[in-house]
Amino acid sequence: MPSVQPPPSEDRAVRIISRQERGALVLTVSGDLDIDSVPPLGRALEAAAEEGSGPVVVDLSGVGFADSTTVNVLLQGQTALGGRLRLAAPSPFVRRLIGMIGLDSAIPVRQDVDEAIDAALPS
């Protein structure tokens, strides 16, 4: 008898909420990021690179899963934004991924959004 896979869970669908906070653009990301769902994050980072000059904080606290395409999008964002990009509050899964590949050597990772906003921009 064939196994039946349940439909994808709506609560894991990717959502990106953008807001301005204390001179920074904060992108709050939730859901599971993979090759099919990560393009909106890439577009948001591209738009941030074209506008503004303050910090760009990607809040990863609501991300349950991320893969290599997510890492690639974040590195492309870092290339476009330079030291303006910082990651905040990664979920346990994302924190392990960041640690395994050493992503924190390329992009600053902070404990929470406030700390990421307050971190000095490179001169």
Side-chain angles (χ1 to χ4, degrees):
M1 178 171 216
S3 67
V4 177
Q5 297 294 324
S9 174
E10 283 298 315
D11 64 340
R12 296 311 320 152
V14 172
R15 289 181 200 87
I16 300 173
I17 299 171
S18 173
R19 72 179 189 280
Q20 290 290 325
E21 185 175 329
R22 300 188 343 250
L25 173 64
V26 179
L27 302 172
T28 301
V29 184
S30 62
D32 291 345
L33 293 170
D34 60 25
I35 193 167
D36 295 322
S37 64
V38 78
L41 177 58
R43 288 191 295 274
L45 292 172
E46 286 173 14
E50 294 172 7
E51 302 170 7
S53 59
V56 177
V57 177
V58 180
D59 178 354
L60 298 167
S61 59
V63 176
F65 174 82
D67 66 4
S68 61
T69 56
T70 305
V71 172
N72 188 40
V73 164
L74 292 172
L75 288 171
Q76 288 172 355
Q78 193 275 335
T79 298
L81 290 159
R84 294 174 51 208
L85 180 63
R86 55 283 307 262
L87 308 179
S91 66
F93 180 90
V94 175
R95 181 165 295 286
R96 281 190 303 276
L97 177 64
I98 288 168
M100 282 190 318
I101 64 170
L103 185 61
D104 52 347
S105 66
I107 304 171
V109 180
R110 305 293 186 216
Q111 292 296 323
D112 58 40
V113 171
D114 287 333
E115 185 181 323
I117 291 171
D118 293 339
L121 286 172
S123 40

